[in-house]
Amino acid sequence: MTVFTAEIVNPCVLTHPYNDDHQLSFEELEMKYTTSVTKGMTSTMAAQVLERDGCNELKPPKGTPEYIKFARQLAGGLQCLMWVAAVICFIAFGILMGQGNLTSYDDLYLAIVLIAVVVVTGCFGYYQEFKSTNIIASFKNLVPQQATVFRDGQKFNINANQLVVGDLVEMKGGDRVPADVRIVSAQGFKVDNSSLTGESEPQSRNPEFTHENPLETKNIAFFSTTCLEGVATGIIINTGDRTIIGRIASLASGVGNEKTPIAIEIEHFVDIIAGLAIFFGATFFVVAMTIGYRFLEAMIFFMAIVVAYVPEGLLATVTVCLSLTAKRLARKNCVVKNLEAVETLGSTSVICSDKTGTLTQNRMTVSHLWFDNHIHSADTTEDQSGQSFDQSSETWRALGRVAGLCNRAVFKPGQDAVPIPKRDVVGDASETALLKFTELAFGNIVDYRNRFKKVCELPFNSTNKFQLSVHELEDPLDLRYLLVMKGAPERILERCSTIMIKGQELPLDEQWKEAFQTAYMDLGGLGERVLGFCHLLLSEKEHPRGFGFDVDEMNFPTSGLCFAGLISMIDPPRASVPDAVMKCRTAGIRVIMVTGDHPITAKAIAANVGIITEGSETVEDIALRLRIPVEQVNKRDARACVVNGGQLKDMTSEELDDLLRTHPEMVFARTSPQQKLIIVESCQRLGSIVAVTGDGVNDSPALKKADIGIAMGISGSDAAKNAADMILLDDNFASIVTGVEQGRLIFDNLKKSIAYTLTKNIPELTPYLIYITVSVPLPLGCITILFIELATDIFPSVSLAYEKAESDIMNLKPRNPRKDRLVNESLAAYSYFQIGAIQSFAGFTDYFTCLAQEGWRPLLCVGLRSAWENAHNQEVQDSYGQEWTFAQRLYQEYTCYTVFFVSIEICQISDVLIRKTRRLSLFQQGFFRNKVLLSAIVFQLCLGTFLCYCPGMPNIFNFMPIRVQWWFIPVPYGILIFIYDEIRKLGVRRHPGSWWDKELYY
Amino acid sequence: MATLKEKRTCGQRCEDFGHFVWNSDTKQFMGRTLERWVYISLYYVAFYIVMSGLFILALYVMLLTLNPYTPTYQDQLTSPGVILRPDIWGEEGLEITYNASDKKSWMRLTNILDKYLLHDKYCLLYISKSIPFYFIDYNETHQNESNQHCPSGSYYIQKDFRGPHHTKYACIFTREMLGSCSGLEDPTYGYPEGKPCFLIKMNRIINFLPGKVGSPPYVKCTMLEGSHSTLQDVDYYPVNGTFDISYFPYYGSLAQPNYTNPLVAVKFNRITKNTEIKIECKVVADHIRTDNFHDPYEGKVVFQLKIES
């Protein structure tokens, strides 16, 4: 099963074969690539290298050729069964033709129909796949990327795919890094590596070599990551598929696709069918031989029985049911690439979810404020529907003013119609959060800033860890300057001597410092990013109007400020997520968070959305509570566990398995996307069916490895979408839960559909068995069977897909793939040997009635076959002494086919009604709730009537206009089926776990 | 998706199956312990006994509703089929070929006629216990014993059961009525001379009346292929090749156990030898269809004839 090698599992694989260019000095680098860190390469050299290495672009994942995609549609379990059946039909036809006693072309027709069904459903499935692939393709951004490159000492703008190793490139905020680049010079250069590492924190990049691991060192910027701010130049060290991202993308293609659970179920089901078919065929082969048929005849019987066991209509039913659900899901923002994946979600028992964007809004938002010695909560909901804090305090005004003014972020223009939280902003995440927050609190912030004219500013840098700016005051008469500052809280506090409480400046004594510390710890403990804010009104004397502020000289006070408060920010969970996680929990699905973020943030969000439930503690929490060392804590006591990537790296797979087993609530933080793969594998080893969400290129191996990979429609990369089985158009975790619900429903409903479809196999088969053993005229013809399978019964079986769930399926555990099969033995036995048997009896009752009323009493029919089928005998006598020509007998036989057909139809109406529920009484479920099913029954009856009474039918499809009363003969049997099944369900409900339940509940 | 890959190997399948057949851990044979097998078998036995009982009851009740004399419906029997003797079937239907100078070859055909006129072999083949065993004997002695002379020219309608053992009478039809094709004067039926006799028979249908009184059904043979002149000299027995309507209606084997099918003998007196000809013999009557595309033997019979010399 595992195409996967141990090598790929190891995340280090990416680091080792990677060259050590980051460790080289510039001179060595110049030598190696014959380039210059100031002038770049010569264009001739660049052309040569381009020739050698090829374009700088990711080779599109080797798309499966269309014909193979199509061929796959023709090669499923059921499809194989039908191919085999078609071949058998051809053989039987060949034998009959070879013998020269070809009386009918039924075998040939059957073979053709079987093939046609496979091909048509194949086309259908292919079309579905094609359509969803198109949806994915539409996301593709086709605009070619530009890059600034130095060649021959000149600056050029060229297409990024023309870049080669050794090129000197320039990057600035907003660009995408065009290849793997060794940084040569940088000014405040920051990149967002989240698509590679999953870590959303901006990372600074500079020429310094800081780590042996190329992923960790600060002097490499990676292909396809984005530059957030600053400017840098660098030498390209890897292009195209040789970049880190390229390696990961190609890694994904090495991961074998897992079989979907439904495919496994269908295979299991085909095993059952094939087993029964061969068993029946062999039995009747022996019977036929002992009765005295010739070997070849018995062989034909054998083949016919095997073929009769193939449920021709099932393939179409399953395909249509799945695509109906796929459609329903698409309306709820889940696009399913592969039909079978619809059901996989339903059997999912573990969801490994990303944090950023999936569980959270992917938007830094102000969540708490500390001022006036109180922690105030801000409204973090997406639509600003939550409660806000009391904004009447003077301190708040001061704090808000600092937050609004000491902020370089601005809204992109032309977004007046967009709600504030959704607007695009130029600026880093926390400034964006503050900008939106103040915009919401004060109204038009641009205007506000204009009122406080900015005189000078010092942007944030990592040495100072603060940002300040000086403004004129709003009141034109007040000529003082206002200095505002924000930054790391401890650094800000250092510079303060007073603190503002309720609008009063109070001296910042130890008591206040302690209060500050507590608040800071509390907010930090929530996993939030905390910033401190302070301000100072500069005295008019020392800094009169027109004073030349100089940020380099710092010719103004930067200490003795007045502390205004703390503001903390977090990427808040989506509103619908806690509910969805709760639903998952009641549905017995484990949600595991896998994120690149800090453990504390991860844990806070996990606690927030309910992945870590209230009252659950990690080992560390217990240790803290009991004041004992971590080692002494009994690990079994801790329900929750937060593991970071570093710990994970040192773990063996057994340890990881053990960890997953002991702690039901898991959060993996600071993990690299490759570690995601290890986690997925570990879950699978524990027997879970794993759904994985992901968006980055680097997620694609995990997405592929997962039983169902879910890519994000908005933030997802193409590689992720390619590797995934399903795409969430709204990136919302809650949509997954909807998918789970639909998947479970379709599993239940498919079971019902299959039970319905299988039942009629027996009344289709027994006529043939009776025909060969008792030698009566054939009660049911091949074409008629095909009409039942592929025309009249398709709609009702599909309509079961619209059935509502019998109980709250989201309160049940996920199905155990080893025990809860789609088609189990009791389903097959109950359908075949009980309901199917009753239907057969109904058919034979009608058959014998029809024959007897036309002159052929049942006992005469026994052994009549050879005379009846003798085309040369034009005077076969019936029970009344009348003589029949061959053609007259043939029409009588067609009449028999038709009454048998009608009997099956009538019983199938009863059957489809009883299949609405497996446990509940039909009276509890309601007869008329499923309107589609009702119309399907009406349709079935109309089609049946049409087939019977349309002129010309006798000679085309062997349907005869039968007498009306023969429609009613099977009705008592239909009622019997209904009553019998109600009794079965009553027993199942009343005595769960009893013998009755075990044998008769499917 | 991945159905092409990762197939379970055959060995694994067999192993799984083996485990299914006998699971030594749980002492389960085919998924059930012995005890559970007994229970489920008993359940199924009971189920099938009940179902078969219901089924037999249903059939029994249905049979009680049937009229023993006439079938409830005759949907397929709107017009009788027609057949001839001797009947030798070839690739494309009835093909009668013989060598006039080869006794063995025509004896095969005349034997069929002999046997037919004594009793119908075909009946013997398949008539089972369910209907009274009987055969038709066209000999005068036999006919006189069991049947009545009926007034010709009118339907012999019998409302009551006036015959012995609560039956209805049947009319006499004897070999003598077939004239020179009776096989009495000429036991070779004219075969060696190249003037063969054929017997045309209409199928029995209960209560079927072929046409109006006064226009009895008659047989008319025509050439389908070959020159029409070859078929000029045809003799029909009885006169004009008519089936007398006194043989109708038929009341069924229970009411008329001795019913004798009326026959028409056709003697072709001028057949070109060594050529294959195709002849159609129609029974012409108001209520007899002869143009049913889907039933070539309804109201007519077509056969090939070739006399070698």
Side-chain angles (χ1 to χ4, degrees), chain A residues 85-99:
Chain A
V87 169
I88 291 176
C89 283
F90 276 126
I91 294 173
F93 181 69
I95 291 175
L96 283 175
M97 206 158 69
Q99 280 182 332

Side-chain angles (χ1 to χ4, degrees), chain A residues 107-135:
Chain A
D107 279 320
L108 189 65
Y109 295 151
L110 187 56
I112 292 169
V113 168
L114 284 170
I115 293 171
V117 168
V118 175
V119 172
V120 168
T121 49
C123 290
F124 188 78
Y126 177 74
Y127 171 70
Q128 284 283 335
E129 196 182 322
F130 179 77
K131 226 170 45 179
S132 42
T133 318
N134 271 6
I135 295 173

Side-chain angles (χ1 to χ4, degrees), chain A residues 257 271 338 833-834 853-854 872 874-875 877 880-883 885 888 955 963 965 980 999, chain B residues 1 6 13 32 36 43-44 48 67 73-75 79 85 89 126 201 203-204 253 294-295:
Chain A
N257 248 335
D271 283 354
N338 182 312
F833 304 123
Q834 297 185 31
Q853 294 193 333
E854 294 282 2
H872 296 163
Q874 309 299 337
E875 40 194 352
Q877 291 191 16
Y880 293 91
Q882 305 183 96
E883 291 164 321
T885 65
Q888 286 162 344
N955 300 312
R963 290 185 173 266
Q965 60 268 42
Y980 179 62
E999 294 290 353
Chain B
M1 59 174 11
E6 300 156 15
R13 272 164 189 270
R32 279 191 184 83
R36 284 189 66 199
Y43 183 82
Y44 272 97
Y48 278 96
N67 181 333
Y73 307 116
Q74 293 172 295
D75 293 329
S79 177
R85 291 290 184 296
W89 294 84
Y126 61 84
K201 181 205 143 215
N203 279 351
R204 294 190 294 262
S253 53
H294 298 288
D295 189 354

Side-chain angles (χ1 to χ4, degrees), chain B:
Chain B
M1 59 174 11
T3 28
L4 280 183
K5 296 178 200 164
E6 300 156 15
K7 281 260 164 197
R8 273 191 297 157
T9 63
C10 192
Q12 272 173 315
R13 272 164 189 270
C14 291
E15 203 173 295
D16 283 358
F17 184 72
H19 198 69
F20 170 68
V21 171
W22 174 246
N23 186 341
S24 49
D25 303 335
T26 51
K27 298 265 183 290
Q28 282 179 338
F29 171 70
M30 308 270 278
R32 279 191 184 83
T33 54
L34 182 68
E35 192 190 10
R36 284 189 66 199
W37 270 113
V38 171
Y39 281 136
I40 195 71
S41 311
L42 285 178
Y43 183 82
Y44 272 97
V45 167
F47 179 85
Y48 278 96
I49 286 175
V50 171
M51 279 315 299
S52 312
L54 285 175
F55 175 68
I56 289 165
L57 183 72
L59 284 191
Y60 179 73
V61 170
M62 183 270 294
L63 288 176
L64 286 185
T65 67
L66 295 182
N67 181 333
Y69 295 100
T70 49
T72 320
Y73 307 116
Q74 293 172 295
D75 293 329
Q76 317 311 329
L77 299 179
T78 48
S79 177
V82 171
I83 192 68
L84 92 164
R85 291 290 184 296
D87 47 349
I88 302 290
W89 294 84
E91 291 260 305
E92 286 160 33
L94 287 164
E95 284 175 19
I96 289 121
T97 310
Y98 72 93
N99 192 332
S101 48
D102 178 1
K103 190 178 179 192
K104 237 185 175 172
S105 124
W106 55 257
M107 276 287 276
R108 210 172 113 231
L109 301 170
T110 55
N111 278 344
I112 292 174
L113 293 176
D114 281 339
K115 272 182 193 153
Y116 185 74
L117 291 173
L118 276 170
H119 57 79
D120 200 339
K121 265 281 179 199
Y122 282 91
C123 290
L124 285 174
L125 280 177
Y126 61 84
I127 289 175
S128 59
K129 330 115 232 173
S130 61
I131 49 169
F133 174 79
Y134 72 105
F135 55 83
I136 303 164
D137 189 339
Y138 286 93
N139 272 336
E140 195 171 8
T141 42
H142 176 82
Q143 285 285 319
N144 284 335
E145 261 170 40
S146 56
N147 291 354
Q148 276 193 339
H149 284 284
C150 308
S152 67
S154 65
Y155 289 122
Y156 187 40
I157 309 252
Q158 303 170 71
K159 290 254 157 59
D160 312 317
F161 295 89
R162 268 175 286 156
H165 314 296
H166 197 70
T167 58
K168 294 180 181 181
Y169 290 112
C171 299
I172 281 176
F173 191 97
T174 59
R175 291 174 81 162
E176 284 75 11
M177 296 179 181
L178 299 176
S180 60
C181 285
S182 65
L184 294 173
E185 305 132 39
D186 175 11
T188 65
Y189 300 92
Y191 277 75
E193 300 100 83
K195 296 175 179 174
C197 278
F198 288 91
L199 299 178
I200 307 287
K201 181 205 143 215
M202 236 163 80
N203 279 351
R204 294 190 294 262
I205 294 177
I206 289 175
N207 291 335
F208 177 75
L209 302 176
K212 282 194 284 268
V213 178
S215 57
Y218 64 94
V219 174
K220 189 171 176 353
C221 293
T222 47
M223 279 287 283
L224 287 184
E225 287 164 25
S227 83
H228 286 261
S229 58
T230 40
L231 209 63
Q232 264 166 5
D233 198 357
V234 182
D235 289 335
Y236 296 99
Y237 307 96
V239 201
N240 298 333
T242 54
F243 296 101
D244 194 276
I245 58 169
S246 62
Y247 296 99
F248 302 97
Y250 172 54
Y251 284 111
S253 53
L254 192 60
Q256 287 180 314
N258 296 321
Y259 181 82
T260 312
N261 278 51
L263 298 171
V264 167
V266 187
K267 194 175 178 73
F268 300 104
N269 290 323
R270 206 197 296 167
I271 300 284
T272 320
K273 293 206 173 150
N274 296 324
T275 41
E276 202 172 81
I277 56 171
K278 201 167 198 175
I279 299 167
E280 180 191 75
C281 290
K282 251 186 209 172
V283 178
V284 182
D286 294 343
H287 297 157
I288 296 178
R289 272 186 75 187
T290 54
D291 55 352
N292 188 346
F293 172 77
H294 298 288
D295 189 354
Y297 297 96
E298 195 174 84
K300 63 175 190 289
V301 61
V302 178
F303 62 100
Q304 278 185 4
L305 178 61
K306 186 181 179 188
I307 304 172
E308 292 159 0
S309 58

